[in-house]
């Protein structure tokens, strides 16, 4: 079997999703989970883009041992200087540099011509080589680049020292056969192609990212660029879990990875909860319904023999239906153990705080599952916030007007208000707006139950517009009106400093 390298860009392309930005501590947590999952390369950020990104690359380089740490640059010297500086502590490092090669990019973005772009491509690889041995070149918008010109660029950058050449379908435009043929064309027409690895980097604008990636692999690509849960700008990137499980299910493709598939589910949940980005219920591999059989015929078949309707065992992706749930009788040690299984390490002080909230939740809810534990571990963030919900009382029902009274603690001072509205959430938000007198508009509002049961925790995601910018908020509570108000306050805390 041929080795296929997994290049994870959750912390770079994935993190470009508006509202999903992580702080450095959270990025380190994700990077360590990716290391445990077995990815080969972690693209840790775009260091010149912000001091936060620079710092994250530095800290991830220190925290992670085995995977190669990669930093993105444009094909300009200043970017490459900064990336090299950010990578100084990485045990194994790579600079990912490049330039747009399609006519759209050459004409409209660079106001240039093919010869000039070719020279700039060679120059940026040579410049990056001064700092690191491992240089990856990306031909941005390769999906819409003429194959003959693309081959010329790929050949030249390999000659200049590129160890990996990335062929991004930046706009998610290619059909699977077209993308596969592009890789095949390069494999057959680029002199020296075997001195480097060709990489796929597919976007999902037309829902074909995974199909295109597999087509690339079938035609010779040996690195795939992916994200957890397929997150990424617009419709996202190819999802890591889909590629890993396709290769596990289809041994005939004759390529293997080092992914420990049993870590897929916990990594997916960690990324989803840290980024406040819900996973769609029917998402392949990691969605809540991915292994749920509801039709009687399917249930009967699965009970008789799992393989009659399932091509994968949920345990292979780390879903253990018999996992021990925590209850009000569970102690600190059990909670610490569960946190560590989920990749969350805490000191004694933080454990005490989480345990206190755990007992409060266990009082309302019989069994505490992994999602609850993750939410409890993140709840500390709201405790440090400037605006906190002190109390909320709501009257609602059929035939009565919904009324809410609310008290907010703003930097230690208490403010109360009451309002009526079209339903309990509307009443509570109107009362909240009497205290926070800003012009804010609620755009997105989703409520999701985590598991099953009427005592379940409801997760609320909200998108609030203020001053022409969007802010995301998240709340979780067994009371969905309280969860909604918490989500609204979480969004407000991002712009009220
Ligand atoms: O989609 C793309 O082209 C990219 C490059 C910067 C690698 O993300
Ligand atoms: Zn991309």
């Amino acid at each position: 079997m041929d080795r296929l390298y997994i290049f994870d860009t959750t912390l770079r392309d994935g993190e470009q999703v508006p509202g999903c930005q992580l702080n450095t501590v959270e990025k380190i947590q994700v990077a360590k989970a990716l290391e445990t999952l077995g990815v080969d390369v972690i693209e840790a950020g775009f260091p010149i883009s912000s001091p936060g990104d620079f710092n994250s690359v530095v800290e991830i380089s220190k925290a992670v041992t085995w995977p190669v740490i990669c930093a993105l640059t444009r094909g300009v010297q200043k970017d490459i200087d900064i990336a090299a500086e950010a990578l100084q502590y990485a045990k194994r490092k790579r600079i990912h540099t490049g330039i747009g090669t399609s006519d759209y990019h050459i004409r409209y973005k660079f106001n240039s011509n093919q010869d000039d772009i070719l020279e700039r491509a060679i120059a940026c690889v040579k410049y990056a080589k001064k700092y690191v041995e491992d240089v990856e070149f990306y031909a941005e918008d390769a999906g819409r680049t003429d194959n003959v010109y693309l081959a010329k660029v790929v050949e030249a950058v390999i000659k200049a020292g590129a160890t990996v050449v990335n062929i991004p379908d930046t706009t998610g435009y290619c059909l699977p056969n077209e993308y596969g043929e592009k890789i095949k064309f390069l494999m057959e027409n680029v002199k020296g192609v075997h001195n480097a690895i060709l990489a796929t980097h597919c976007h999902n604008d037309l829902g074909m990212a995974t199909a295109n990636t597999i087509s690339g692999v079938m035609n010779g690509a040996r690195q795939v660029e992916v994200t957890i849960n397929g997150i990424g700008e617009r419709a996202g990137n190819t999802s890591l879990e889909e590629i890993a499980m396709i290769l596990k299910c289809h041994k005939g493709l004759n390529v293997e990875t080092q992914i420990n598939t049993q870590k897929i589910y916990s990594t997916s949940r960690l990324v989803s909860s840290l980024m406040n980005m819900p996973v769609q219920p029917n998402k392949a591999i990691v969605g809540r319904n991915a292994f749920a059989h509801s039709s009687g015929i399917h249930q009967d078949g699965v009970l008789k023999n799992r393989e009659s309707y399932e091509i994968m065992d949920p345990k292979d992706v780390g879903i253990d239906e018999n996992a021990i749930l925590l209850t009000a009788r569970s102690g600190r040690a059990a909670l610490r153990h569960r946190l560590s299984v989920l990749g969350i390490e805490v000191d004694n002080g933080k454990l005490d705080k989480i345990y206190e909230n755990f007992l409060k939740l266990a009082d309302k809810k019989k069994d505490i599952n992994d999602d609850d534990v993750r939410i409890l571990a993140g709840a500390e963030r709201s405790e440090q916030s400037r605006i906190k919900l002190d109390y909320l009382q709501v009257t609602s029902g059929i035939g009565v007007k919904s009324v809410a009274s609310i008290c907010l603690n703003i930097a230690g001072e208490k403010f109360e208000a009451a309002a009526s509205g079209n339903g309990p959430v509307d009443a509570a938000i109107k009362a909240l707006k009497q205290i926070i007198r800003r012009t804010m508009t609620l755009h997105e509002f989703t409520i999701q139950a985590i598991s099953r049961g009427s005592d379940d925790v409801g997760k609320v995601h909200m998108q609030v517009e203020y001053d022409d910018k969007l802010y995301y908020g998240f709340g979780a509570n067994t009371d969905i009106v309280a969860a909604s108000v918490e989500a609204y306050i979480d969004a407000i805390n991002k712009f009220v400093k």
Side-chain angles (χ1 to χ4, degrees):
M1 283 223 186
D2 259 9
R3 176 83 156 80
L4 179 71
Y5 295 94
I6 302 289
F7 175 114
D8 182 279
T9 183
T10 305
L11 294 172
R12 201 279 297 169
D13 225 348
E15 218 237 352
Q16 279 171 219
V17 181
C20 289
Q21 278 64 42
L22 301 178
N23 62 37
T24 302
V25 175
E26 292 165 334
K27 284 187 188 174
I28 292 172
Q29 220 177 315
V30 172
K32 286 190 158 175
L34 292 172
E35 181 170 35
T36 311
L37 180 64
V39 308
D40 298 286
V41 186
I42 295 176
E43 187 163 49
F46 182 11
I48 200 153
S49 67
S50 71
D53 244 42
F54 178 89
N55 196 37
S56 299
V57 175
V58 171
E59 296 306 325
I60 290 170
S61 298
K62 290 181 192 162
V64 163
T65 314
W66 185 79
V68 171
I69 304 299
C70 177
L72 184 79
T73 80
R74 291 167 297 180
V76 291
Q77 295 192 351
K78 183 84 191 134
D79 283 32
I80 297 171
D81 295 336
I82 301 286
E85 195 187 331
L87 286 170
Q88 62 186 302
Y89 300 105
K91 285 105 206 151
R92 304 199 295 147
K93 53 186 99 172
R94 176 182 297 178
I95 290 178
H96 189 190
T97 188
I99 196 159
T101 52
S102 69
D103 284 347
Y104 297 96
H105 283 236
I106 295 176
R107 277 195 211 141
Y108 304 115
K109 190 166 153 187
F110 299 113
N111 189 19
S112 181
N113 57 61
Q114 290 192 338
D115 290 342
D116 174 54
I117 294 297
L118 180 65
E119 270 173 35
R120 284 158 74 170
I122 297 168
C124 67
V125 171
K126 285 192 172 159
Y127 192 74
K129 277 299 247 200
K130 288 192 186 162
Y131 288 112
V132 291
E133 173 46 36
D134 192 2
V135 174
E136 173 168 343
F137 174 83
Y138 63 85
E140 195 175 5
D141 205 14
R144 294 186 301 170
T145 300
D146 164 62
N147 284 350
V148 174
Y149 177 64
L150 185 62
K152 207 167 155 184
V153 174
V154 173
E155 190 167 308
V157 295
I158 294 176
K159 210 163 153 215
T163 45
V164 179
V165 184
N166 179 8
I167 310 298
D169 183 22
T170 306
T171 58
Y173 175 76
C174 286
L175 292 168
N177 68 315
E178 254 177 310
Y179 190 76
E181 277 158 21
K182 195 172 275 292
I183 300 291
K184 186 166 189 267
F185 183 85
L186 297 174
M187 292 299 291
E188 289 173 353
N189 292 283
V190 169
K191 258 191 249 132
V193 74
H194 296 290
N195 296 329
I197 290 173
L198 294 189
T200 67
H201 179 113
C202 300
H203 280 267
N204 205 28
D205 299 67
L206 291 170
M208 294 189 289
T210 297
N212 283 347
T213 299
I214 291 295
S215 180
V217 171
M218 290 169 80
N219 285 285
R222 285 296 173 265
Q223 175 178 288
V224 289
E225 307 203 353
V226 290
T227 59
I228 300 293
N229 300 334
I231 61 164
E233 259 187 300
R234 311 185 308 278
N237 290 58
T238 306
S239 82
L240 182 150
E241 59 277 7
E242 291 173 17
I243 297 300
M245 291 315 289
I246 289 170
L247 300 180
K248 195 173 171 81
C249 292
H250 288 272
K251 296 275 188 291
L253 290 172
N254 233 16
V255 286
E256 61 184 2
T257 70
Q258 280 197 358
I259 294 296
N260 175 357
T261 61
Q262 291 183 349
K263 296 283 175 195
I264 284 178
Y265 191 66
S266 60
T267 314
S268 156
R269 306 305 299 177
L270 179 74
V271 169
S272 162
S273 84
L274 288 176
M275 289 197 168
N276 287 338
M277 177 91 169
V279 174
Q280 74 191 60
N282 60 329
K283 166 83 181 63
I285 319 293
V286 289
R288 197 177 58 223
N289 296 345
F291 295 96
H293 298 273
S294 54
S295 97
I297 297 173
H298 281 209
Q299 283 178 349
D300 182 52
V302 169
L303 286 174
K304 286 179 180 144
N305 178 350
R306 186 154 223 153
E307 283 172 32
S308 43
Y309 280 100
E310 273 186 8
I311 54 169
M312 298 168 270
D313 185 335
K315 287 201 180 75
D316 284 347
V317 300
I319 300 176
D320 185 356
E321 290 136 340
N322 304 316
I324 297 162
L325 296 168
L326 298 173
T327 69
R329 287 177 304 287
S330 308
R332 272 184 182 67
L335 179 62
R336 187 196 281 283
H337 174 71
R338 208 63 223 149
L339 284 162
S340 121
V341 168
L342 300 174
I344 306 168
E345 300 300 337
V346 290
D347 59 27
N348 286 342
K350 185 160 181 197
L351 181 68
D352 285 348
K353 197 81 224 147
I354 299 173
Y355 190 66
E356 195 186 310
N357 291 330
F358 164 80
L359 289 179
K360 282 187 206 152
L361 181 62
D363 207 33
K364 296 191 214 160
K365 189 173 187 272
K366 205 162 67 326
D367 297 322
I368 308 289
N369 60 28
D370 287 352
D371 282 310
D372 297 326
V373 173
R374 273 191 209 90
I375 288 170
L376 287 168
E380 230 191 27
R381 245 191 300 179
S382 71
E383 277 170 30
Q384 292 156 359
S385 309
R386 186 174 157 80
I387 306 175
K388 292 185 211 114
L389 179 61
D390 194 54
Y391 76 71
L392 171 71
Q393 192 183 30
V394 185
T395 312
S396 73
I398 311 280
V400 289
K401 199 165 180 58
S402 297
V403 184
S405 338
I406 195 169
C407 176
L408 299 185
N409 179 328
I410 305 181
E413 218 184 312
K414 299 207 173 170
F415 298 84
E416 289 177 315
S420 60
N422 186 12
V425 174
D426 186 45
I429 289 176
K430 281 191 174 135
L432 179 142
K433 283 182 162 178
Q434 286 183 20
I435 303 173
I436 313 282
R437 293 183 173 276
R438 310 237 181 169
T439 311
M440 306 172 281
T441 317
L442 178 58
H443 282 283
E444 228 174 67
F445 176 20
T446 60
I447 305 184
Q448 258 187 340
I450 292 178
S451 45
R452 300 171 189 97
S454 53
D455 66 348
D456 195 14
V457 170
K459 291 197 294 182
V460 174
H461 292 265
M462 277 185 179
Q463 201 185 40
V464 175
E465 187 185 330
Y466 171 68
D467 205 13
D468 287 338
K469 288 204 191 77
L470 290 176
Y471 296 88
Y472 286 73
F474 174 73
N477 202 302
T478 46
D479 178 326
I480 54 171
V481 183
S484 307
V485 174
E486 281 169 7
Y488 210 106
I489 293 174
D490 185 38
I492 296 174
N493 269 314
K494 292 180 179 153
F495 55 83
V496 175
K497 298 284 172 211

